[in-house]
Amino acid sequence: DIVVSCVEYIGNNQLRVHFGYENRGKKTVVVEEDGSVVTYNYGQAKKNGVFSFEPGVQEYALSQEFDHKDRVEWTVEFPDGTTKTTDANISSNHCRDIQADLDIIPGYYPPEGGKEFNSKIGAELTALHEAYTVDPNLPGVPEEIFLITGSKVLIEAVSYGNQYDAMLNELAGLGFEIVTSGPSRNRATGWQEIGNLLQLNLLDPLNYARPIYPGVGNYVVPATGLTKSQGDFAMHSDFVRLGYALDGAGVKIGVLSNSFDTRGEAAQDVLNGDLPGAGNPNGDNLEVQVLKDINPASGALSDEGRAMLQIVHDIAPGAELAFRTGYLGEQDMALGIRQLANAGSDIIVDDLSYITEPFFRDGIISQTIDSVVSEGVTFFSSAGNFGKASYMGVYDEEPAPSTIVGTAHDFSGTGDIFQSILLPEGNYTLVMQWDDGSDPTMNTTTTDLDIFLSDDVGFALLGFNRENVGGFPIEVVPFSVIGDSVYANIVVSRASGSVPVTFKYMLFRGGSQFQILEYGTEGSSTIVGHPNAAGAISVGAVRF
């Protein structure tokens, strides 16, 4: 087997991957020199790799430097005709035994000064377009920010006032394929040609566009083949089934997650007895009703929804099961909840969190949950498991450094605009939202807040801010820390607006590692979005 041993950060946005192998045999395996190839520099450069594999484990067989947005691939064709490939990028295992420089790596190329001006598509989609023009294969593009299939990215487009139809007409000319339509909310989700993204800035009916950030899955116990899940044992539901002769018969349970069968393994789960369906060895022959799944042509996902259904089937093997993807944005997930309820689901459960759901209001998913619950459905949602990685405050104005537009928030009440934080090695997604009371739905704002990672003197290390007035009040900062922990600061600034505003930031990735070292707000909840719906039963995880 050939593997990625680890990746180390070597400075100036450059990394070095170390490849290794394991030869379980007793003889050295030799391949043709051109049968071992390392591809790098965005696919433009190649070199020969290791072609002689001695018995045993070799962790550092070969190395290659690469840019933080690049991907390195090693392919070996063995004498028996088999071909094996492994690849590395910034998210691969980080080296533990090599001293690395302290640094923060942006999730994608940030705009100059940490803010994108005069742009309807913002820093995220602008950076994606730039990456696409360099290499249409988009190596190193963060999957936690973009949903991409082929040459298209899933976006949400929001029109001005009553210009929704005009916006759709102009988008259609730029390769937009609609997925979900929401004329009452002036917004549509759909697949947009990446090469045409910059032209969206020229569309008069368009207010703004942003990527559909993939739902943050809160990972459950993975599929365990023929083994019963520990959840069944932990809840003593196995005793309930035996003691009261209950198996869930007469109840229909719907699951919302990322995908069900993009890996093509559901049929084998049925034969193993892990899912109901034709051929189930236990006689549970009623198929899982799949209302909508992710198209496998768009790429295989983790099929976490199938794992959830396996656990449900362990606990209530007589229950009827249904699945609907909730991975294509807030509007589509809300539609999925309604469809599961209409299909007769007595219970619906989901494990997704959308970073764009309003922190301070009920969004469309919460509203739909309350609607189906009023009709008799019981709805369970994951609390999120984001720990204490959150801060909330009322904006308190102080002068900002010359590197930042506008004023800055005083975290201390005595003039300190720098909130000290500790960032251990890992991948992070920092999200800030705010409410200035200007829109009861929180779909628009009259305040433009920005958030930065900064050093101790006010130079913005990292920011992806956009001009928010008239749009949704949100900023998103994806980044990684390579090597040793980094001490940095949060700076929140106001570029425009003067009314009182409450803001909140939290981490949707990396929260268990992140530490607020000063001016933290005790009790700042990390349950946001639809798990806060009045009708939802929010469920947290405990170590078992």
Side-chain angles (χ1 to χ4, degrees), residues 460-471:
L461 294 179
L462 191 60
F464 297 96
N465 301 287
R466 67 161 70 203
E467 295 174 296
N468 300 95
V469 173

Side-chain angles (χ1 to χ4, degrees), residues 165-177 192-193 196 199-200 203:
D165 290 337
M167 177 189 73
L168 288 186
N169 289 335
E170 295 194 23
L171 283 173
L174 297 176
F176 184 75
E177 296 178 5
Q192 172 62 46
E193 285 287 350
N196 293 336
Q199 297 183 54
L200 268 61
L203 303 185

